[in-house]
Amino acid sequence: MSEANSGAGRVTREQRGAIFLIGLDRAGKRNAFDSAMLEDLALAIGEYERNDELRCAVIFAHGENFTAGLDLLELTPKLVSGGFKYSDLGIDPWGVSRPRRTKPMVLAVQGTCWTAGIELILNADIAVIASNARFAHLEVLRGIPPSGGSTVRFTQAAGWADAMRYMLTGEEFSAEDALRMRLVNEVVEPGQELPRALEYAERIAKAAPLAIKATLRSAFQARDEGHDAALSQLNELLFTLIRTDDVREGVMAMMQKREPQFQGR
Ligand SMILES: C[C@H](/C=C/C(=O)SCCNC(=O)CCNC(=O)[C@H](O)C(C)(C)COP(=O)(O)OP(=O)(O)OC[C@H]1O[C@@H](n2cnc3c(N)ncnc32)[C@H](O)[C@@H]1OP(=O)(O)O)[C@H]1CC[C@H]2[C@@H]3CCC4=CC(=O)CC[C@]4(C)[C@H]3CC[C@]12C
């Protein structure tokens, strides 16, 4: 698709029907995130968010490794001086700062997946990983805490004991460990992670887009504001959606025993 370690932005885009493939493209540096790559990934997610034709994004990495984490040499001075900020057209891929994405995100991961890569997984909806994937939260060995969401989401997904074991030591863990700790959905043979992620994306893209967004909104609200806040909004979400053309189409398709064709309205 593109040369390793090339391209100013270092993130590729490809539209396949309703699916948007977003590729980390700095393989020569093990897909370490410098500021150009952080910015371009955020912009790609912004493009996805604003394009109504697109119903599911798949984030993957060119080359043999997902990411070696942050390019500390390039980024530390910028973070120290407060000089790194996403442009207004971008969406934070880690869901740390607002606005939050409203559309689904599937991840395909292989090889080395350090720090920021784990945190991208934890901010995605579905993650498929290759059996050769290996993970580590190295931040405390570089003098910083995990700051892309793991202090909240790793503990939620895996429980305190496992999350602290890996975040406080920087110890490496395997694909099987990631599955056991419920950080990911599935482990597949190397090379199958992207095709399998695309299968999930195709299924999501066939579902009703407004219902997909409402599902995410409710789940995000539960995570951010607590269960009561999310439960109190469920009826309103339902009554808003029940009047849409997509609900009529879903019912008609069921009656006529055919695939629904949802328009997102
Ligand atoms: C803070 C959060 C993240 C922190 C970190 O990621 S710390 C960890 C940094 N990574 C490392 O230390 C790994 C170093 N590399 C290795 O160990 C090895 O290279 C390897 C095992 C990965 C591979 O080994 P290898 O033998 O196969 O290959 P090599 O020969 O070693 O390397 C080949 C080639 O690649 C280069 N390379 C490798 N790694 C790196 C790297 N990390 N950086 C640069 N270059 C690398 C190597 O030099 C070789 O190059 P060559 O030219 O051939 O010599 C952040 C996580 C998320 C962020 C937040 C996101 C949300 C935010 C929004 C905001 O608005 C504000 C900011 C923020 C909150 C943001 C803040 C920062 C995060 C929290």
Side-chain angles (χ1 to χ4, degrees), residues 28-30 32 68-71 86 94 114-116 119 142 144 147:
K29 296 284 184 185
R30 305 296 185 263
L70 212 63
D71 186 330
Y86 295 124
W94 286 270
W114 288 170
T115 63
E119 293 178 314
R142 307 288 183 264
I144 45 179
S147 329

Side-chain angles (χ1 to χ4, degrees), residues 49-103:
E49 186 71 27
R50 289 185 297 277
N51 184 339
D52 289 338
E53 286 178 13
L54 298 172
R55 296 188 180 176
C56 191
V58 175
I59 299 182
F60 70 100
H62 296 276
E64 291 175 9
N65 300 287
F66 190 74
T67 181
L70 212 63
D71 186 330
L72 289 172
L73 281 183
E74 195 268 348
L75 257 166
T76 305
K78 294 192 176 171
L79 290 171
V80 167
S81 65
F84 178 79
K85 188 181 170 303
Y86 295 124
S87 93
D88 291 343
L89 291 175
I91 291 196
D92 181 354
W94 286 270
V96 170
S97 53
R98 304 293 173 101
R100 201 191 270 292
R101 69 185 165 90
T102 67
K103 292 160 86 172

Side-chain angles (χ1 to χ4, degrees), residues 44-224:
I45 297 174
E47 287 165 32
Y48 162 56
E49 186 71 27
R50 289 185 297 277
N51 184 339
D52 289 338
E53 286 178 13
L54 298 172
R55 296 188 180 176
C56 191
V58 175
I59 299 182
F60 70 100
H62 296 276
E64 291 175 9
N65 300 287
F66 190 74
T67 181
L70 212 63
D71 186 330
L72 289 172
L73 281 183
E74 195 268 348
L75 257 166
T76 305
K78 294 192 176 171
L79 290 171
V80 167
S81 65
F84 178 79
K85 188 181 170 303
Y86 295 124
S87 93
D88 291 343
L89 291 175
I91 291 196
D92 181 354
W94 286 270
V96 170
S97 53
R98 304 293 173 101
R100 201 191 270 292
R101 69 185 165 90
T102 67
K103 292 160 86 172
M105 207 159 89
V106 177
L107 247 66
V109 172
Q110 79 281 14
T112 302
C113 181
W114 288 170
T115 63
I118 301 170
E119 293 178 314
L120 265 188
I121 288 179
L122 287 165
N123 189 44
D125 304 308
I126 294 178
V128 181
I129 63 171
S131 56
N132 68 2
R134 55 200 192 109
F135 304 88
H137 258 304
L138 298 171
E139 290 91 335
V140 291
L141 305 179
R142 307 288 183 264
I144 45 179
S147 329
S150 269
T151 49
V152 176
R153 298 179 191 135
F154 197 169
T155 46
Q156 277 174 347
W160 196 266
D162 273 327
M164 287 306 157
R165 169 179 172 184
Y166 294 113
M167 287 195 294
L168 297 183
T169 65
E171 187 186 340
E172 196 176 312
F173 58 95
S174 68
E176 287 69 30
D177 292 327
L179 186 64
R180 174 185 60 77
M181 292 189 286
R182 299 193 219 179
L183 308 187
V184 303
N185 296 76
E186 217 175 309
V187 180
V188 297
E189 287 296 307
Q192 293 308 303
E193 61 281 358
L194 182 55
R196 183 69 181 132
L198 285 167
E199 283 175 20
Y200 278 114
E202 277 156 18
R203 294 185 73 163
I204 292 170
K206 283 186 184 161
L210 296 178
I212 292 279
K213 281 189 172 184
T215 304
L216 283 175
R217 196 184 322 148
S218 178
F220 280 144
Q221 189 180 22
R223 204 160 71 176
D224 294 345

